[in-house]
Amino acid sequence: MTSDSVAEFLTRVRNAVDARHKKVDVAASRLRVSIAEILKKNGFIRNYKLYRQEQKGILRIYLKYVEKDQPVIHGITRVSKPSRRVYSTYAKVPKILGGMGLSVLSTSKGVISDETARTEKVGGEIICSVW
């Protein structure tokens, strides 16, 4: 059991991309499923599925690659940590690589992308960044 389940999730995805795996399994939670949904909507992963294995859920992430097995995800990092939370207003949410990347925020309206946060004018905790 880890103290930071989101960091574990991001590390598993990062390691699977580096090893050029087609899919990666992680323990499921509502936050992890929300992050996977945002990654899918923005084209960073192909798909995800939620499986039940005995009493715990398994989240299977299908990674996305372009020509010659080049990964779509070049980097994925944890921004806000349990020891140091990072919050931002909608106007100050950082643009990753000038808008080519993505920040995932936890807001009062749920887990959303940085673009959605700017559109809906809502700030929150910056969970991670993907590019």
Side-chain angles (χ1 to χ4, degrees):
M1 190 78 193
T2 62
S3 62
D4 189 3
S5 64
V6 174
E8 180 197 358
F9 168 73
L10 298 176
T11 299
R12 283 180 182 247
V13 170
R14 185 182 319 110
N15 290 343
V17 167
D18 289 345
R20 301 295 194 265
H21 290 291
K22 298 293 179 194
K23 63 183 189 254
V24 61
D25 291 343
V26 295
S29 72
R30 284 185 287 170
L31 180 59
R32 291 175 179 186
V33 170
S34 298
I35 294 171
E37 178 66 31
I38 291 171
L39 293 177
K40 181 183 174 189
K41 281 183 185 175
N42 288 281
F44 285 100
I45 61 173
R46 279 191 303 130
N47 203 358
Y48 69 92
K49 289 203 185 242
L50 194 56
Y51 293 100
R52 283 300 233 197
Q53 188 176 35
E54 296 173 10
Q55 294 211 342
K56 49 185 182 169
I58 302 293
L59 178 63
R60 180 166 289 164
I61 309 272
Y62 295 95
L63 301 172
K64 188 173 182 180
Y65 297 92
V66 291
E67 57 191 57
K68 296 185 181 180
D69 278 346
Q70 292 299 314
V72 175
I73 296 175
H74 294 287
I76 186 166
T77 59
R78 180 83 155 112
V79 176
S80 184
K81 301 174 183 174
S83 61
R84 189 180 69 88
R85 303 288 183 183
V86 178
Y87 297 95
S88 177
T89 62
Y90 73 90
K92 293 185 180 180
V93 173
K95 287 188 179 182
I96 308 301
L97 293 178
M100 297 297 291
L102 167 77
S103 289
V104 179
L105 285 84
S106 176
T107 68
S108 58
K109 294 190 177 186
V111 179
I112 58 176
S113 68
D114 57 349
E115 184 178 320
T116 307
R118 285 187 204 95
T119 304
E120 295 185 9
K121 296 188 177 185
V122 61
E125 179 183 357
I126 303 173
I127 297 173
C128 64
S129 297
V130 185
W131 63 95

